[in-house]
Amino acid sequence: MRRLPLLLAVVLSLAGCGKTPPQPGFVLDGPLLFVAADYNGTPLEGTLERTGMVGLGEMLLASPDKYLDCRAEFNAEPTEKARIRGVLICTDKHTFSLTLRNLGPDQGVGLGLEPGKDEMLVLFYHPSPEEARRRLGQAVADMRKARDAARQ
């Protein structure tokens, strides 16, 4: 009879396992995240508020020559697949549909697409500017590979 409460506790704890996915931990306190980006060969850099990783915050991007000066606000919960969606608006009339995906507690990758255009804006965010720049190259290669595979 003593096993019944234990068995019931195990069954109840397992019953909820498939309903609620585990929530990743985020480092929401601390300095802004550095963003390194590439738009069709044009480098951009900026910042992302850490709360942007959970759907609330702001991202700023600019090219070194300030040709592209962009801002995105995030104010929606992540999708079921944990994607953060937003719109990146630039002062020169470029507008990108933006999707971010966190890869860890304080880093991630993003993709921006302009309606009706083939070019991609690829970005990587990380606390370290050097690491964001380093990882951006692989993110660009991966996104291009995925795009090419989807076209075939």
Side-chain angles (χ1 to χ4, degrees):
M1 193 67 172
R2 292 178 51 183
R3 290 185 181 174
L4 184 60
L6 179 60
L7 181 60
L8 184 59
V10 170
V11 168
L12 289 175
S13 67
L14 291 176
C17 287
K19 294 180 182 176
T20 307
Q23 298 298 316
F26 296 103
V27 180
L28 299 179
D29 294 325
L32 297 170
L33 297 170
F34 183 83
V35 181
D38 177 276
Y39 174 62
N40 199 31
T42 301
L44 296 103
E45 294 187 345
T47 58
L48 172 66
E49 293 177 342
R50 285 176 178 264
T51 54
M53 294 187 307
V54 294
L56 300 170
E58 179 180 76
M59 181 173 66
L60 301 173
L61 282 176
S63 60
D65 60 4
K66 301 295 184 205
Y67 170 71
L68 283 177
D69 189 13
C70 311
R71 179 176 183 264
E73 282 190 33
F74 303 100
N75 58 4
E77 292 184 19
T79 66
E80 286 185 16
K81 292 186 177 185
R83 306 295 194 266
I84 307 297
R85 306 254 190 226
V87 176
L88 183 70
I89 300 172
C90 303
T91 54
D92 70 341
K93 307 289 189 232
H94 279 82
T95 301
F96 299 89
S97 296
L98 191 62
T99 302
L100 304 182
R101 180 171 181 265
N102 299 313
L103 301 176
D106 58 0
Q107 61 185 301
V109 66
L111 177 66
L113 299 171
E114 276 189 284
K117 296 198 178 180
D118 193 42
E119 294 88 8
M120 297 183 302
L121 170 74
V122 180
L123 62 89
F124 197 92
Y125 50 96
H126 194 277
S128 163
E130 295 79 18
E131 188 66 9
R133 289 181 190 115
R134 185 185 76 76
R135 304 264 312 262
L136 176 62
Q138 185 62 51
V140 170
D142 290 346
M143 294 292 188
R144 286 182 181 154
K145 183 178 176 181
R147 179 186 62 188
D148 293 345
R151 289 181 176 168
Q152 294 179 356

